[in-house]
Amino acid sequence: MKKLILLFILTLFGMSRVVAQDNNPSQTSDLKAYVDSLSTKLNTLQHDYDYLYCSHEINQIQSELKYLLNDVNIKSNAILINCYHGRYDSDLYSIYRSGYNSQVDLYDSFKENVELVQRVVRLRILSSNFTQNEINVLMNGCETLDRCLSALQSALDYCELVIGMYRDLK
């Protein structure tokens, strides 16, 4: 019982010290300045994170689009070389056709991803306090994604043309 009373007295003493500290105006203003400082740092970190996230997403999908573009061009060149040699193989043709179809499917999924990334970037631009220079960089990145999609579409059209040339060798 003595321990319980002693614990109660110590608790009351500790609470009175907390109340006394809250009434000290210099500590209250120091605490408020510290909280404001932390709030400013948090806003800066959020801004930096938003910008880096948008830049990363744009660059990542741009790299993947360029990789697919190079892959399509390499396959088109390989098919074209077989056309020049005049060799037709029906099994090879079906492999070319299925490879082309899978690349078209990849293009369609990339197109959806590009639209999603562009929407995310625009929303982050609206919700964050980016500088005009940062906004310009991000918007240029979005336009670059559109150009990459256009180049990939052209490469796929060329690949389809070359596959048609190969088919006509029979």
Side-chain angles (χ1 to χ4, degrees):
M1 184 70 169
K2 287 182 182 181
K3 289 182 181 179
L4 186 59
I5 294 173
L6 182 61
L7 180 64
F8 180 72
I9 292 172
L10 287 175
T11 303
L12 285 175
F13 178 71
M15 289 180 71
S16 66
R17 290 194 71 195
V18 168
V19 170
Q21 287 177 351
D22 285 344
N23 291 334
N24 187 345
S26 81
Q27 287 182 345
T28 303
S29 65
D30 290 345
L31 182 60
K32 185 172 177 135
Y34 181 68
V35 168
D36 289 343
S37 170
L38 287 178
S39 177
T40 302
K41 288 178 183 177
L42 180 63
N43 289 337
T44 302
L45 287 174
Q46 184 65 44
H47 169 269
D48 293 347
Y49 171 78
D50 287 343
Y51 182 75
L52 290 174
Y53 175 79
C54 290
S55 296
H56 170 73
E57 290 298 315
I58 289 170
N59 291 335
Q60 181 177 359
I61 199 162
Q62 183 180 358
S63 296
E64 291 170 355
L65 283 169
K66 287 181 179 179
Y67 177 79
L68 182 58
L69 175 66
N70 289 334
D71 190 44
V72 169
N73 286 332
I74 289 170
K75 288 181 181 177
S76 296
N77 290 337
I79 296 168
L80 192 59
I81 289 171
N82 281 337
C83 285
Y84 287 141
H85 290 296
R87 295 184 228 145
Y88 177 79
D89 182 1
S90 62
D91 292 334
L92 193 56
Y93 172 76
S94 65
I95 290 171
Y96 289 154
R97 178 52 66 183
S98 66
Y100 171 78
N101 291 337
S102 67
Q103 289 172 331
V104 169
D105 291 341
L106 274 174
Y107 170 81
D108 291 337
S109 69
F110 275 123
K111 189 173 181 179
E112 291 174 11
N113 288 343
V114 165
E115 291 169 359
L116 180 67
V117 166
Q118 288 175 335
R119 257 188 255 130
V120 166
V121 168
R122 288 184 182 110
L123 286 173
R124 293 279 171 116
I125 286 173
L126 292 174
S127 65
S128 297
N129 56 348
F130 292 136
T131 64
Q132 189 59 44
N133 188 36
E134 291 169 332
I135 292 172
N136 291 341
V137 168
L138 293 175
M139 293 309 292
N140 285 338
C142 288
E143 291 170 10
T144 301
L145 291 178
D146 287 334
R147 287 190 297 273
C148 287
L149 277 176
S150 177
L152 182 56
Q153 180 62 53
S154 297
L156 286 169
D157 292 344
Y158 177 71
C159 185
E160 186 176 32
L161 176 75
V162 172
I163 289 173
M165 289 171 50
Y166 185 78
R167 181 191 63 233
D168 292 343
L169 289 177
K170 11 182 200 181

